[in-house]
Amino acid sequence: LTFRPDPADPAKSRMEFRLLVPRQEVSGMDEVQWEQNWRKNWAILEAVIVNEDIPMLRQAQGAIESRSAGTLLIGRNEVG
């Protein structure tokens, strides 16, 4: 997932998601199987993002915007 801030509105952002997949020729699958497999994987990815991740992120953003949220430390578990 890639998130990019909206250049005009700090309350908005743009999200892009993509899958990197092997070419059909090197996947060991025939063309029909390959197409079905990656369409199914895309649908699963999209469903999780739309039905789980985005609602959770909206709730988290609402909590962060609350005046009672306290101090927020970002990146503490980052390595490097």
Side-chain angles (χ1 to χ4, degrees):
L1 290 174
T2 303
F3 292 91
R4 292 188 171 84
D6 185 288
D9 186 346
K12 293 182 180 180
S13 64
R14 173 173 286 180
M15 179 185 67
E16 175 183 304
F17 59 98
R18 56 190 173 269
L19 285 173
L20 301 176
V21 301
R23 294 187 329 266
Q24 182 264 322
E25 299 83 21
V26 298
S27 70
M29 294 183 251
D30 64 46
E31 190 173 342
V32 171
Q33 183 184 17
W34 184 88
E35 184 74 26
Q36 289 174 341
N37 182 66
W38 290 109
R39 285 190 182 275
K40 180 181 177 182
N41 281 325
W42 183 264
I44 292 167
L45 173 65
E46 186 175 33
V48 168
I49 290 170
V50 170
N51 298 320
E52 297 176 23
D53 294 352
I54 291 175
M56 184 61 69
L57 291 169
R58 282 192 176 129
Q59 289 179 352
Q61 185 67 34
I64 290 169
E65 290 174 346
S66 167
R67 292 186 182 257
S68 63
T71 303
L72 178 64
L73 177 60
I74 298 176
R76 179 180 174 115
N77 293 324
E78 301 284 331
V79 176

